[in-house]
Amino acid sequence: MADIISNDAVREIITIASQQGILSQKDVDNTIAHSNETGKPMSAILFERNLMDEQSLASFIASSYGLQLTEIDPEGINEEAVKKLTPEYMESNMIFPFQVIGSTLSIAICDQTKLSYEKNLKVMTGMNIDMILVTQSNLQKLFEKAGMATDAGGEVVALGSLRKQKEEVAPEVEITERDRTEAEQFVTSILLDAYKRNVSDMHIESFRTKKQLRFRIDGVLQVQDQYSDEINQRYLATVSILKLLSGARIEEKRMPQDGAIAFSHNKIEFDLRVSFLPVQGGQERVVMRLLRKDSIKLDLADMGFKPDELEKINDAIYATQGLVLVTGPTGSGKTTTLYSILSELNDPKRNILTAEDPIEYELEGIGQSQMKSEINYTFAKALRTFLRQDPEVILVGEIRDQETGNIAVEAALTGHLVCSTLHTNSSVETITRLVNMGIPNYLISSSVSLVIGQRLARKVCQECKVEDKNASPKLLKQMKLPSDLKCFVGKGKKQN
């Protein structure tokens, strides 16, 4: 197990205590020096020298950072709460989820440095996070009650019913601390590279003779040969780091897992949806969807719609009621279009609510609700609740069934603007799909105000574009385009 309370946290606290005259500067310096010399935790040195005891340290942290100090009864641990995070994540970060009330997960912590985990935990669990300060011994008792301790070899041992038995999962290959550090640096470098190159998805893959990393850029997967040596050397450690960051179980290699990461580095922030899939050879492949926070700042006018199309969209979304549907294949930008519409409408005078699975971007000023299939919290249930929340605008991630469709239509007919997506190949097929769901024709004609059928068009590289000689006037005419239109194509590296 990691130290119950980190030295960074204690150093920060005793510095504040010194400034307030509670500890002398000499006591602070001696505590830090002794810890550096012996490797002992600073909190243990404070207790040994009677400078502070466990309770006074916790009370001082609580008063300094405005936290609630509580004694949590280990017998009252909620099993559902514990399952929200992996044991590895809990133990390595010294946090313990102990209670679920509604959409809020209460987490016990021992020091103030864990407050910075709140955003990441919110993404990982899909819940609101309430950090509760406890003493070190109280946190230790919570871990012991849940059966999370370490044996002589450092392996995690499950004593209770909250974790699968160790023999049920494949054994882990030993990863050294150096491997882990280098893997963390490697993961940071590829994530930053992907962000800067506008990558939408990252694939980390294992085959019989090699490992590889691929980026999806402008809809096309491209092998990243520059990372070939590193990904082959650090594959297992890289997968373990990504599991740890995303809240997946590190020791589980036989079952698919999903997770989420809130990445932050030097003022660059974005979220990742992470999927782990077991493959041949006892390995796992990882696919990460990069969710850029700045991609939703696009104005509708910058989305590539023609002026007459944009006018129709604005007419529909600024109406007081109606159903606006965005259709197209997976990866065609439906979510981006919907978020751009919400950004356009986002105003303190409007109450905007969304039902999403998952919440891909956090929008300031908009109420966003995460669907949870495990408790049967569905789009239909969210919509019913929304109608009692006095909204002007409602976004439903997807209309998947008749129940959701009926409620969306009902909302659109009763003074609400409803925006959603539907998986159809064209805008015309949308009406057929709604009819096949069992929604009456007269309700569809009365409620549907706009259907957008879209595809993602690949951009031409501005650095290597050349005029396309194949775009003859005859061909342009067949495509119903102006015969004098100039067309360009990316020359590409292969043709240089």
Side-chain angles (χ1 to χ4, degrees):
M1 269 189 162
D3 290 337
I4 295 287
I5 181 169
S6 68
N7 279 345
D8 287 342
V10 176
R11 184 183 290 108
E12 191 174 289
I13 283 298
I14 60 178
T15 299
I16 295 173
S18 172
Q19 293 169 350
Q20 295 182 7
I22 298 173
L23 293 177
S24 69
Q25 188 59 48
K26 182 178 179 181
D27 287 334
V28 172
D29 294 339
N30 288 341
T31 299
I32 295 173
H34 188 58
S35 176
N36 292 336
E37 291 171 5
T38 63
K40 267 189 176 183
M42 289 186 191
S43 58
I45 296 171
L46 286 176
F47 302 157
E48 288 174 0
R49 298 184 175 184
N50 294 320
L51 297 175
M52 281 187 176
D53 59 27
E54 184 180 275
Q55 188 67 38
S56 62
L57 177 61
S59 297
F60 190 73
I61 293 174
S63 62
S64 298
Y65 291 88
L67 297 173
Q68 175 187 351
L69 178 60
T70 304
E71 181 76 17
I72 298 170
D73 182 4
E75 298 297 330
I77 294 173
N78 182 287
E79 186 166 331
E80 179 190 348
V82 179
K83 289 180 178 179
K84 292 292 182 181
L85 297 173
T86 65
E88 290 76 22
Y89 188 87
M90 293 157 59
E91 291 172 355
S92 63
N93 294 292
M94 279 294 109
I95 62 175
F96 194 94
F98 64 92
Q99 180 176 266
V100 172
I101 299 178
S103 61
T104 299
L105 177 65
S106 296
I107 295 180
I109 61 174
C110 265
D111 68 67
Q112 72 281 1
T113 62
K114 304 301 186 288
L115 296 174
S116 63
Y117 294 11
E118 182 174 348
K119 184 176 180 180
N120 199 17
L121 289 165
K122 187 175 181 180
V123 174
M124 289 166 57
T125 63
M127 303 187 73
N128 296 320
I129 303 299
D130 186 18
M131 296 288 202
I132 304 296
L133 189 71
V134 298
T135 61
Q136 295 184 53
S137 60
N138 193 189
L139 187 64
Q140 183 71 53
K141 289 176 183 177
L142 295 178
F143 276 108
E144 290 172 355
K145 181 61 181 178
M148 298 178 196
T150 55
D151 61 16
E155 290 289 332
V156 176
V157 180
L159 304 177
S161 61
L162 300 179
R163 299 182 55 191
K164 292 186 177 180
Q165 294 300 314
K166 197 166 66 174
E167 60 268 21
E168 290 184 3
V169 297
E172 276 289 304
V173 177
E174 183 178 353
I175 298 173
T176 66
E177 190 61 35
R178 180 179 177 181
D179 290 336
R180 190 174 297 277
T181 300
E182 291 178 346
E184 288 176 353
Q185 296 171 350
F186 176 59
V187 167
T188 299
S189 67
I190 62 173
L191 293 182
L192 289 173
D193 186 24
Y195 176 85
K196 293 172 183 176
R197 294 168 61 188
N198 290 318
V199 170
S200 62
D201 300 89
M202 289 158 278
H203 294 232
I204 299 175
E205 302 165 305
S206 173
F207 302 104
R208 185 177 296 275
T209 58
K210 69 173 183 177
K211 312 290 191 289
Q212 74 176 18
L213 173 65
R214 291 192 290 173
F215 286 170
R216 188 178 294 279
I217 303 174
D218 288 336
V220 178
L221 278 172
Q222 303 174 15
V223 177
Q224 304 302 303
D225 292 324
Q226 71 273 26
Y227 295 118
S228 177
D229 291 341
E230 286 183 281
I231 199 66
N232 276 280
Q233 293 171 12
R234 303 192 177 100
Y235 191 85
L236 290 176
T238 298
V239 173
S240 294
I241 290 297
L242 289 171
K243 282 185 170 183
L244 182 63
L245 292 174
S246 64
R249 294 182 59 188
I250 293 178
E251 80 279 14
E252 179 58 81
K253 298 173 65 176
R254 303 177 306 163
M255 294 291 292
Q257 298 188 78
D258 295 318
I261 299 173
F263 182 83
S264 178
H265 182 83
N266 290 341
K267 297 184 179 180
I268 294 177
E269 294 185 358
F270 55 88
D271 295 331
L272 294 150
R273 287 204 319 245
V274 190
S275 174
F276 301 90
L277 177 70
V279 292
Q280 71 279 9
Q283 300 295 333
E284 295 169 280
R285 78 191 302 268
V286 186
V287 174
M288 294 179 282
R289 168 65 59 87
L290 194 152
L291 306 171
R292 300 176 65 97
K293 297 180 183 298
D294 53 4
S295 67
I296 60 170
K297 294 178 182 177
L298 288 173
D299 192 286
L300 269 174
D302 298 327
M303 294 290 289
F305 294 111
K306 296 178 182 178
D308 60 325
E309 294 171 341
L310 186 59
E311 184 179 351
K312 292 175 182 177
I313 293 174
N314 282 325
D315 287 343
I317 66 176
Y318 279 106
T320 55
Q321 64 181 51
L323 179 60
V324 175
L325 297 173
V326 183
T327 69
T330 300
S332 61
K334 296 188 297 296
T335 301
T336 301
T337 298
L338 285 178
Y339 274 110
S340 296
I341 289 173
L342 291 188
S343 296
E344 178 75 18
L345 297 174
N346 196 1
D347 185 288
K349 296 177 182 178
R350 291 190 184 92
N351 181 19
I352 303 176
L353 300 175
T354 75
E356 304 175 62
D357 188 18
I359 296 174
E360 297 194 2
Y361 305 100
E362 291 184 24
L363 299 174
E364 191 70 29
I366 292 177
Q368 297 173 267
S369 185
Q370 168 72 51
M371 302 302 94
K372 298 181 179 67
S373 57
E374 65 272 16
I375 58 173
N376 199 30
Y377 181 43
T378 62
F379 286 123
K381 287 191 175 182
L383 269 175
R384 286 198 188 93
T385 304
F386 284 0
L387 295 176
R388 297 190 291 273
Q389 289 279 317
D390 187 32
E392 278 87 19
V393 181
I394 296 173
L395 181 144
V396 187
E398 182 183 351
I399 295 179
R400 298 174 179 172
D401 51 48
Q402 180 182 358
E403 185 180 14
T404 306
N406 280 328
I407 302 172
V409 167
E410 177 188 335
L413 291 172
T414 55
H416 306 89
L417 176 69
V418 181
C419 303
S420 187
T421 66
L422 205 63
H423 281 288
T424 59
N425 292 325
S426 68
S427 55
V428 175
E429 292 178 23
T430 301
I431 305 302
T432 306
R433 178 73 185 279
L434 292 173
V435 171
N436 290 339
M437 280 185 180
I439 301 173
N441 293 356
Y442 69 93
L443 290 180
I444 296 174
S445 62
S446 301
S447 61
V448 176
S449 56
L450 179 71
V451 178
I452 302 172
Q454 68 181 49
R455 298 291 187 276
L456 190 64
R458 198 167 299 141
K459 289 184 177 179
V460 176
C461 176
Q462 297 300 304
E463 296 181 5
C464 70
K465 72 175 183 178
V466 295
E467 191 170 349
D468 188 359
K469 303 299 183 183
N470 295 320
S472 64
K474 181 180 179 180
L475 179 61
L476 292 171
K477 186 176 180 181
Q478 289 175 347
M479 298 176 68
K480 298 182 179 180
L481 294 171
S483 59
D484 60 346
L485 184 68
K486 279 193 175 184
C487 299
F488 295 89
V489 63
K491 188 177 180 182
K493 293 181 181 179
K494 293 183 179 179
Q495 298 181 37
N496 284 337

